[in-house]
Amino acid sequence: MNDWEEYSAIEAAAAIPLSQQAMGVGNTSYLDGLNPAQLAAVETLDGPVLMLAGAGTGKTKALTTRIVHLLRTGRVRPNEILAVTFTNKAAREMKERVATHLGDAASGMRWMGTFHSLCVKILRRHAELVGLKSNFTILDTDDQIRLLKQLIRADNIDEKRWPARMLAGLIDHWKNRAWTPDQVSAGEDGFDGRGAKYYAQYQARLKTLNAADFGDLLLHVVTIFQNHPDVLEKYQHWFRYIMVDEYQDTNVAQYLGLRLLAQGHRNICCVGDDDQSIYGWRGAEVGNILRFEKDFDNATVIRLEQNYRSTPHILGAASGVIAGNADRLGKTLWTAREDGEKVRLINHRDGEEEARWMGDEIESYQRGTRGLDPYGLDSIAILVRASHQMRAFEDRFLTIGLPYRVIGGPRFYERMEIRDALAYFRVAVSADDALAFERIVNTPKRGIGEKAQQIINQVARNNDVSLFEGARIVARDGGISARARNALGALIEGFDRWRVALQDQDQSHVEVAQIILEESGYTDMWQKDKSPDAAGRLENLKELIKALEEFENLEGFLEHISLIMENDSQDDAQKVTIMTLHGAKGLEFPVVFLPGWEDGLFPSQRSMDESGQRGLEEERRLAYVGITRAEEICTISFTSSRRIFGQWQSAIPSRFVDEIPPKHVEILSAPGVYGGSIAQEPSAIEERVARADAYNSPGWKRMRARQEARTAKTRSAMKDVIDAKVVASFGLGDRVHHAKYGFGAVVGVEGDKLSIVFEGGGAKKVMASFITMADDVSS
DNA sequence: CGGCATTTATTTTTT
DNA sequence: ATAAATGCCG
């Protein structure tokens, strides 16, 4: 169907010829301003190159300059460079930066993009080699789950024991390692053989639907390269130079594909930082970058170690932490900058207090106190380990009216209303998109419930027609309730009408899209919805319609949208950024706050439980990423107790805190933190905690030891301990905690009852067994 | 079929 | 604590 020769001809024609003059051969001014390491990375063009680029060392600059250099020296045409990134954002940025040097030539770089988009491009050309048609649809995670659910249900298996999500994760895991179903069943599966079976069924089903999921995009391309040497060879010749960004994040499938492509000329340049590999949990293999020199003989390794971002103290702190990892290629970041503030460390009573303090702190930065220039809110970020930490900050900032922006969370195209709308468009464009049809057949509610849908499914299968045509038959012949039948008939009629409208030259696809959403009753559904977020959803739908304008037709839009799951709506107002550490990779801020450095939260307990030492090392890299985001001021904080899943947990400082070299740290004491409303004078405990003013001092060590011992005790048999000597353990003035009433101070002891004045207001008599010391676990 | 009650599981996230 | 997902009843 897609003859290679013809294709090559098209590609060649598309290449914008670069006349020597236009390219300015001989003019190498673009090399000015590179440091020696960057220059080496730019000028070492042939053979395998590993560019180890530490945080803030000008990686993107080196990478884009290298591309400019390749093109300017005239050794390659723009479309013969394969340049791969992980995100659309990175691809766009690179393209823009090349364009500032080369103008139009950058648009000739047709093979610069994300792994996924480039694989789609290749796969559309050779789809038949893996049993697909070139117009295959790309499933998102939602579709994937629904499909798997159907398979599990069809098997009459307990859906609880076999959650579709888990199976999806498993299949994803296999695809990340480029395992096809037969390779899985041949090996181990870990799920009594069922996983492999479902995997095979799932792949078969995808083939029938002429669809591929995200993992397939990579896997299929690797399969094609492996099974069709002739095809591989053409691409090996076509891509004369290969560049890979964020190499530490590649998974096995990506690695295999790259290695196959590079086998001939070996002109592959991988850029990355093993210390910033933080996506192991989704299939990234740090091993890929660690092994580079073994994979590619005679590789040139270039280290970018001069940091242009942070102060020496921040770099020192980060280096100290990351030094705790064993599996590293090793780099030593240095900076020409001098002085700067030490990394600041502070302890708080709980998460709310932490948020309160940071809010105040940010406001003082904003005003420019302590002799510093005022910082705009845009230059301040709070980076958390887990997104549930964000809530405390949002709450606090809302009450003090501090503008903030949360990065992350559900992306625009992942929102329910957007997916629903897209499903309508998908059915309108191609009637046999069964998954899309299933999604919207009863959205808004049309009275076409599960049972009716089953009947439609059955009729479609019996007549060997698409789901949509099956629905048409059901609507005509009946078999479901009259009400449902009418609704179904109306829906089908609607789609018939909309399809005609889409063909109509006089009607723009934007208009038709709007008509679809209105006539189907979808916008109506949200207008009638009285939930608080309905208005926002309607706004989103409007935005979606607006986005359509940039495309020729609906088809073009849908093709793009499946791969671009980003929403980068910009917002000019000055706001504090709140995001996860993962989301912050690649970004930088003058002022960075790193809250929640407590063992269990960060490093995450789960990470350590599931992946042991490897998990801990990844968490440590995350700490490294966090610290190195800061340009001037980095503040780390931890709390003494935190509410997790509604339960108060006492916390000990993260082990990473101890790993920061003391000479780079300044301990802050939080003013007013311990002066609770009741305790006019701080209790002995409070005083001791407050005075733990040097974490390398004996006081600090004592506090840690105490907390550790207490936690250990709690985890074993705290309950028994409390019951046994409950009364004896409380004295007048003790700061205590009750699960329902919160914190308070003991004002009286009578037998096994304690009189307590609670901070939340009021004195109460409570059984001692319901009380714990304030910085212990309470329940 | 739809609405309300109960249950259940809660890191990180791109394509 | 809380949200999402499931289960039960009208």
Side-chain angles (χ1 to χ4, degrees), chain A residues 209-240:
Chain A
L209 290 164
N210 190 30
D213 64 22
F214 286 122
D216 280 339
L217 301 179
L218 306 171
L219 179 59
H220 284 329
V221 168
V222 171
T223 309
I224 290 170
F225 284 169
Q226 284 172 336
N227 299 341
H228 302 272
D230 51 319
V231 176
L232 173 64
E233 203 184 323
K234 308 270 172 144
Y235 282 101
Q236 283 174 336
H237 284 119
W238 190 262
F239 302 134
R240 296 176 47 204

mmCIF file of all heavy atoms in Angstrom, chain A residues 209-240:
data_model
loop_
_atom_site.group_PDB
_atom_site.id
_atom_site.type_symbol
_atom_site.label_atom_id
_atom_site.label_comp_id
_atom_site.label_asym_id
_atom_site.label_seq_id
_atom_site.Cartn_x
_atom_site.Cartn_y
_atom_site.Cartn_z
ATOM 1 N N LEU A 209 -10.306 -4.330 15.949
ATOM 2 C CA LEU A 209 -10.800 -2.961 15.987
ATOM 3 C C LEU A 209 -9.934 -2.018 15.156
ATOM 4 O O LEU A 209 -10.219 -0.835 15.057
ATOM 5 C CB LEU A 209 -10.822 -2.448 17.432
ATOM 6 C CG LEU A 209 -11.869 -3.052 18.365
ATOM 7 C CD1 LEU A 209 -11.523 -2.757 19.808
ATOM 8 C CD2 LEU A 209 -13.243 -2.491 18.027
ATOM 9 N N ASN A 210 -8.869 -2.557 14.598
ATOM 10 C CA ASN A 210 -7.904 -1.738 13.867
ATOM 11 C C ASN A 210 -7.413 -0.607 14.756
ATOM 12 O O ASN A 210 -7.479 0.571 14.404
ATOM 13 C CB ASN A 210 -8.519 -1.187 12.576
ATOM 14 C CG ASN A 210 -7.484 -0.535 11.689
ATOM 15 O OD1 ASN A 210 -6.321 -0.942 11.704
ATOM 16 N ND2 ASN A 210 -7.895 0.480 10.951
ATOM 17 N N ALA A 211 -6.955 -0.990 15.927
ATOM 18 C CA ALA A 211 -6.546 0.014 16.900
ATOM 19 C C ALA A 211 -5.222 -0.370 17.554
ATOM 20 O O ALA A 211 -4.824 -1.536 17.549
ATOM 21 C CB ALA A 211 -7.618 0.161 17.977
ATOM 22 N N ALA A 212 -4.575 0.620 18.081
ATOM 23 C CA ALA A 212 -3.327 0.397 18.815
ATOM 24 C C ALA A 212 -3.339 1.271 20.055
ATOM 25 O O ALA A 212 -3.831 2.387 20.009
ATOM 26 C CB ALA A 212 -2.130 0.758 17.938
ATOM 27 N N ASP A 213 -2.816 0.740 21.152
ATOM 28 C CA ASP A 213 -2.690 1.596 22.335
ATOM 29 C C ASP A 213 -1.295 2.223 22.333
ATOM 30 O O ASP A 213 -0.485 1.958 21.449
ATOM 31 C CB ASP A 213 -2.993 0.825 23.622
ATOM 32 C CG ASP A 213 -1.996 -0.287 23.888
ATOM 33 O OD1 ASP A 213 -0.874 -0.222 23.362
ATOM 34 O OD2 ASP A 213 -2.351 -1.237 24.613
ATOM 35 N N PHE A 214 -1.026 3.057 23.332
ATOM 36 C CA PHE A 214 0.235 3.787 23.328
ATOM 37 C C PHE A 214 1.442 2.860 23.318
ATOM 38 O O PHE A 214 2.411 3.091 22.607
ATOM 39 C CB PHE A 214 0.316 4.719 24.535
ATOM 40 C CG PHE A 214 -0.560 5.924 24.398
ATOM 41 C CD1 PHE A 214 -1.537 6.198 25.330
ATOM 42 C CD2 PHE A 214 -0.416 6.773 23.317
ATOM 43 C CE1 PHE A 214 -2.352 7.307 25.194
ATOM 44 C CE2 PHE A 214 -1.229 7.885 23.173
ATOM 45 C CZ PHE A 214 -2.203 8.151 24.119
ATOM 46 N N GLY A 215 1.357 1.801 24.095
ATOM 47 C CA GLY A 215 2.453 0.847 24.143
ATOM 48 C C GLY A 215 2.692 0.187 22.793
ATOM 49 O O GLY A 215 3.829 -0.035 22.385
ATOM 50 N N ASP A 216 1.594 -0.101 22.095
ATOM 51 C CA ASP A 216 1.705 -0.740 20.785
ATOM 52 C C ASP A 216 2.505 0.082 19.800
ATOM 53 O O ASP A 216 3.212 -0.463 18.946
ATOM 54 C CB ASP A 216 0.306 -0.956 20.194
ATOM 55 C CG ASP A 216 -0.356 -2.187 20.787
ATOM 56 O OD1 ASP A 216 0.360 -3.042 21.309
ATOM 57 O OD2 ASP A 216 -1.591 -2.281 20.707
ATOM 58 N N LEU A 217 2.349 1.388 19.894
ATOM 59 C CA LEU A 217 3.009 2.250 18.925
ATOM 60 C C LEU A 217 4.498 1.940 18.896
ATOM 61 O O LEU A 217 5.106 1.826 17.829
ATOM 62 C CB LEU A 217 2.772 3.724 19.270
ATOM 63 C CG LEU A 217 1.305 4.150 19.302
ATOM 64 C CD1 LEU A 217 1.186 5.622 19.685
ATOM 65 C CD2 LEU A 217 0.638 3.900 17.957
ATOM 66 N N LEU A 218 5.067 1.771 20.078
ATOM 67 C CA LEU A 218 6.486 1.446 20.161
ATOM 68 C C LEU A 218 6.726 -0.020 19.836
ATOM 69 O O LEU A 218 7.580 -0.369 19.041
ATOM 70 C CB LEU A 218 7.005 1.737 21.573
ATOM 71 C CG LEU A 218 6.764 3.140 22.114
ATOM 72 C CD1 LEU A 218 7.120 3.216 23.584
ATOM 73 C CD2 LEU A 218 7.561 4.151 21.329
ATOM 74 N N LEU A 219 5.932 -0.856 20.469
ATOM 75 C CA LEU A 219 6.131 -2.297 20.329
ATOM 76 C C LEU A 219 6.025 -2.748 18.870
ATOM 77 O O LEU A 219 6.840 -3.524 18.380
ATOM 78 C CB LEU A 219 5.100 -3.041 21.190
ATOM 79 C CG LEU A 219 5.144 -4.564 21.136
ATOM 80 C CD1 LEU A 219 6.500 -5.085 21.566
ATOM 81 C CD2 LEU A 219 4.054 -5.151 22.023
ATOM 82 N N HIS A 220 5.012 -2.263 18.167
ATOM 83 C CA HIS A 220 4.824 -2.660 16.775
ATOM 84 C C HIS A 220 6.012 -2.252 15.904
ATOM 85 O O HIS A 220 6.452 -3.011 15.042
ATOM 86 C CB HIS A 220 3.542 -2.046 16.206
ATOM 87 C CG HIS A 220 2.295 -2.729 16.681
ATOM 88 N ND1 HIS A 220 2.254 -4.072 16.996
ATOM 89 C CD2 HIS A 220 1.036 -2.268 16.881
ATOM 90 C CE1 HIS A 220 1.025 -4.394 17.379
ATOM 91 N NE2 HIS A 220 0.274 -3.311 17.325
ATOM 92 N N VAL A 221 6.500 -1.053 16.159
ATOM 93 C CA VAL A 221 7.635 -0.591 15.355
ATOM 94 C C VAL A 221 8.854 -1.473 15.611
ATOM 95 O O VAL A 221 9.554 -1.874 14.682
ATOM 96 C CB VAL A 221 7.932 0.899 15.650
ATOM 97 C CG1 VAL A 221 9.275 1.298 15.043
ATOM 98 C CG2 VAL A 221 6.828 1.771 15.084
ATOM 99 N N VAL A 222 9.079 -1.807 16.880
ATOM 100 C CA VAL A 222 10.201 -2.688 17.193
ATOM 101 C C VAL A 222 9.995 -4.047 16.512
ATOM 102 O O VAL A 222 10.923 -4.610 15.920
ATOM 103 C CB VAL A 222 10.360 -2.864 18.721
ATOM 104 C CG1 VAL A 222 11.364 -3.948 19.040
ATOM 105 C CG2 VAL A 222 10.788 -1.558 19.356
ATOM 106 N N THR A 223 8.776 -4.559 16.582
ATOM 107 C CA THR A 223 8.481 -5.845 15.951
ATOM 108 C C THR A 223 8.765 -5.798 14.449
ATOM 109 O O THR A 223 9.355 -6.721 13.887
ATOM 110 C CB THR A 223 6.995 -6.205 16.171
ATOM 111 O OG1 THR A 223 6.704 -6.070 17.557
ATOM 112 C CG2 THR A 223 6.707 -7.616 15.726
ATOM 113 N N ILE A 224 8.351 -4.716 13.829
ATOM 114 C CA ILE A 224 8.591 -4.574 12.392
ATOM 115 C C ILE A 224 10.087 -4.551 12.105
ATOM 116 O O ILE A 224 10.584 -5.263 11.228
ATOM 117 C CB ILE A 224 7.925 -3.291 11.853
ATOM 118 C CG1 ILE A 224 6.397 -3.453 11.861
ATOM 119 C CG2 ILE A 224 8.408 -2.990 10.441
ATOM 120 C CD1 ILE A 224 5.646 -2.165 11.574
ATOM 121 N N PHE A 225 10.804 -3.772 12.877
ATOM 122 C CA PHE A 225 12.255 -3.689 12.667
ATOM 123 C C PHE A 225 12.908 -5.057 12.851
ATOM 124 O O PHE A 225 13.827 -5.420 12.138
ATOM 125 C CB PHE A 225 12.884 -2.697 13.649
ATOM 126 C CG PHE A 225 12.655 -1.255 13.295
ATOM 127 C CD1 PHE A 225 12.970 -0.246 14.192
ATOM 128 C CD2 PHE A 225 12.131 -0.890 12.053
ATOM 129 C CE1 PHE A 225 12.771 1.096 13.875
ATOM 130 C CE2 PHE A 225 11.920 0.440 11.723
ATOM 131 C CZ PHE A 225 12.240 1.433 12.638
ATOM 132 N N GLN A 226 12.401 -5.818 13.827
ATOM 133 C CA GLN A 226 13.016 -7.109 14.105
ATOM 134 C C GLN A 226 12.688 -8.148 13.025
ATOM 135 O O GLN A 226 13.523 -8.957 12.670
ATOM 136 C CB GLN A 226 12.553 -7.627 15.473
ATOM 137 C CG GLN A 226 13.250 -6.921 16.629
ATOM 138 C CD GLN A 226 12.662 -7.294 17.979
ATOM 139 O OE1 GLN A 226 11.497 -7.711 18.067
ATOM 140 N NE2 GLN A 226 13.437 -7.135 19.027
ATOM 141 N N ASN A 227 11.457 -8.089 12.527
ATOM 142 C CA ASN A 227 11.036 -9.140 11.600
ATOM 143 C C ASN A 227 11.206 -8.791 10.129
ATOM 144 O O ASN A 227 11.038 -9.649 9.267
ATOM 145 C CB ASN A 227 9.569 -9.505 11.857
ATOM 146 C CG ASN A 227 9.372 -10.036 13.258
ATOM 147 O OD1 ASN A 227 10.330 -10.457 13.905
ATOM 148 N ND2 ASN A 227 8.137 -10.001 13.727
ATOM 149 N N HIS A 228 11.481 -7.551 9.852
ATOM 150 C CA HIS A 228 11.603 -7.151 8.449
ATOM 151 C C HIS A 228 12.883 -6.359 8.224
ATOM 152 O O HIS A 228 12.869 -5.131 8.163
ATOM 153 C CB HIS A 228 10.383 -6.325 8.023
ATOM 154 C CG HIS A 228 9.091 -7.062 8.207
ATOM 155 N ND1 HIS A 228 8.554 -7.877 7.241
ATOM 156 C CD2 HIS A 228 8.249 -7.140 9.272
ATOM 157 C CE1 HIS A 228 7.424 -8.408 7.695
ATOM 158 N NE2 HIS A 228 7.216 -7.983 8.924
ATOM 159 N N PRO A 229 13.973 -7.088 8.080
ATOM 160 C CA PRO A 229 15.284 -6.436 7.935
ATOM 161 C C PRO A 229 15.313 -5.435 6.785
ATOM 162 O O PRO A 229 16.016 -4.427 6.870
ATOM 163 C CB PRO A 229 16.220 -7.609 7.638
ATOM 164 C CG PRO A 229 15.503 -8.816 8.120
ATOM 165 C CD PRO A 229 14.047 -8.540 7.985
ATOM 166 N N ASP A 230 14.542 -5.724 5.739
ATOM 167 C CA ASP A 230 14.560 -4.808 4.604
ATOM 168 C C ASP A 230 14.030 -3.433 4.999
ATOM 169 O O ASP A 230 14.575 -2.406 4.635
ATOM 170 C CB ASP A 230 13.741 -5.379 3.446
ATOM 171 C CG ASP A 230 12.339 -5.807 3.884
ATOM 172 O OD1 ASP A 230 12.219 -6.401 4.979
ATOM 173 O OD2 ASP A 230 11.368 -5.521 3.152
ATOM 174 N N VAL A 231 12.939 -3.435 5.770
ATOM 175 C CA VAL A 231 12.364 -2.171 6.222
ATOM 176 C C VAL A 231 13.348 -1.452 7.141
ATOM 177 O O VAL A 231 13.623 -0.253 6.978
ATOM 178 C CB VAL A 231 11.033 -2.405 6.962
ATOM 179 C CG1 VAL A 231 10.487 -1.087 7.515
ATOM 180 C CG2 VAL A 231 10.021 -3.053 6.044
ATOM 181 N N LEU A 232 13.890 -2.223 8.072
ATOM 182 C CA LEU A 232 14.835 -1.640 9.019
ATOM 183 C C LEU A 232 15.988 -0.961 8.290
ATOM 184 O O LEU A 232 16.371 0.162 8.606
ATOM 185 C CB LEU A 232 15.370 -2.723 9.960
ATOM 186 C CG LEU A 232 16.507 -2.280 10.892
ATOM 187 C CD1 LEU A 232 16.033 -1.202 11.861
ATOM 188 C CD2 LEU A 232 17.062 -3.472 11.676
ATOM 189 N N GLU A 233 16.471 -1.671 7.280
ATOM 190 C CA GLU A 233 17.635 -1.168 6.555
ATOM 191 C C GLU A 233 17.373 0.195 5.915
ATOM 192 O O GLU A 233 18.211 1.084 5.941
ATOM 193 C CB GLU A 233 18.036 -2.192 5.496
ATOM 194 C CG GLU A 233 19.480 -2.066 5.087
ATOM 195 C CD GLU A 233 19.807 -3.032 3.961
ATOM 196 O OE1 GLU A 233 19.273 -4.177 3.973
ATOM 197 O OE2 GLU A 233 20.560 -2.638 3.056
ATOM 198 N N LYS A 234 16.167 0.322 5.374
ATOM 199 C CA LYS A 234 15.835 1.610 4.745
ATOM 200 C C LYS A 234 15.898 2.737 5.770
ATOM 201 O O LYS A 234 16.453 3.800 5.500
ATOM 202 C CB LYS A 234 14.425 1.567 4.145
ATOM 203 C CG LYS A 234 14.182 0.394 3.233
ATOM 204 C CD LYS A 234 14.528 0.731 1.798
ATOM 205 C CE LYS A 234 14.443 -0.531 0.990
ATOM 206 N NZ LYS A 234 13.954 -0.442 -0.333
ATOM 207 N N TYR A 235 15.329 2.477 6.946
ATOM 208 C CA TYR A 235 15.334 3.538 7.954
ATOM 209 C C TYR A 235 16.739 3.789 8.483
ATOM 210 O O TYR A 235 17.103 4.918 8.784
ATOM 211 C CB TYR A 235 14.378 3.193 9.100
ATOM 212 C CG TYR A 235 12.928 3.437 8.741
ATOM 213 C CD1 TYR A 235 12.092 2.383 8.379
ATOM 214 C CD2 TYR A 235 12.407 4.728 8.725
ATOM 215 C CE1 TYR A 235 10.774 2.608 8.026
ATOM 216 C CE2 TYR A 235 11.091 4.967 8.372
ATOM 217 C CZ TYR A 235 10.272 3.897 8.019
ATOM 218 O OH TYR A 235 8.974 4.133 7.663
ATOM 219 N N GLN A 236 17.520 2.706 8.581
ATOM 220 C CA GLN A 236 18.902 2.883 9.028
ATOM 221 C C GLN A 236 19.636 3.842 8.107
ATOM 222 O O GLN A 236 20.434 4.670 8.541
ATOM 223 C CB GLN A 236 19.631 1.543 9.050
ATOM 224 C CG GLN A 236 19.277 0.686 10.242
ATOM 225 C CD GLN A 236 19.914 -0.684 10.160
ATOM 226 O OE1 GLN A 236 20.252 -1.165 9.075
ATOM 227 N NE2 GLN A 236 20.049 -1.342 11.299
ATOM 228 N N HIS A 237 19.336 3.727 6.817
ATOM 229 C CA HIS A 237 19.997 4.612 5.870
ATOM 230 C C HIS A 237 19.408 6.000 5.886
ATOM 231 O O HIS A 237 20.088 6.990 5.681
ATOM 232 C CB HIS A 237 19.938 4.024 4.453
ATOM 233 C CG HIS A 237 20.912 2.905 4.266
ATOM 234 N ND1 HIS A 237 20.537 1.628 3.951
ATOM 235 C CD2 HIS A 237 22.259 2.878 4.409
ATOM 236 C CE1 HIS A 237 21.611 0.856 3.886
ATOM 237 N NE2 HIS A 237 22.668 1.600 4.169
ATOM 238 N N TRP A 238 18.094 6.020 6.098
ATOM 239 C CA TRP A 238 17.433 7.312 6.054
ATOM 240 C C TRP A 238 17.865 8.208 7.218
ATOM 241 O O TRP A 238 18.213 9.371 7.010
ATOM 242 C CB TRP A 238 15.897 7.143 6.076
ATOM 243 C CG TRP A 238 15.255 8.450 5.792
ATOM 244 C CD1 TRP A 238 14.752 9.321 6.691
ATOM 245 C CD2 TRP A 238 15.124 9.055 4.523
ATOM 246 N NE1 TRP A 238 14.297 10.450 6.069
ATOM 247 C CE2 TRP A 238 14.504 10.310 4.719
ATOM 248 C CE3 TRP A 238 15.454 8.666 3.216
ATOM 249 C CZ2 TRP A 238 14.227 11.176 3.669
ATOM 250 C CZ3 TRP A 238 15.169 9.531 2.173
ATOM 251 C CH2 TRP A 238 14.560 10.762 2.400
ATOM 252 N N PHE A 239 17.845 7.654 8.396
ATOM 253 C CA PHE A 239 18.224 8.457 9.564
ATOM 254 C C PHE A 239 19.739 8.428 9.719
ATOM 255 O O PHE A 239 20.289 7.532 10.344
ATOM 256 C CB PHE A 239 17.575 7.920 10.830
ATOM 257 C CG PHE A 239 16.081 7.879 10.760
ATOM 258 C CD1 PHE A 239 15.379 6.762 11.177
ATOM 259 C CD2 PHE A 239 15.359 8.968 10.280
ATOM 260 C CE1 PHE A 239 13.997 6.721 11.124
ATOM 261 C CE2 PHE A 239 13.975 8.939 10.219
ATOM 262 C CZ PHE A 239 13.289 7.807 10.638
ATOM 263 N N ARG A 240 20.401 9.423 9.193
ATOM 264 C CA ARG A 240 21.863 9.379 9.190
ATOM 265 C C ARG A 240 22.436 9.803 10.533
ATOM 266 O O ARG A 240 23.565 9.445 10.879
ATOM 267 C CB ARG A 240 22.396 10.213 8.043
ATOM 268 C CG ARG A 240 21.950 9.588 6.707
ATOM 269 C CD ARG A 240 22.360 10.409 5.518
ATOM 270 N NE ARG A 240 23.756 10.809 5.603
ATOM 271 C CZ ARG A 240 24.252 11.875 4.983
ATOM 272 N NH1 ARG A 240 23.461 12.630 4.248
ATOM 273 N NH2 ARG A 240 25.518 12.181 5.097
#
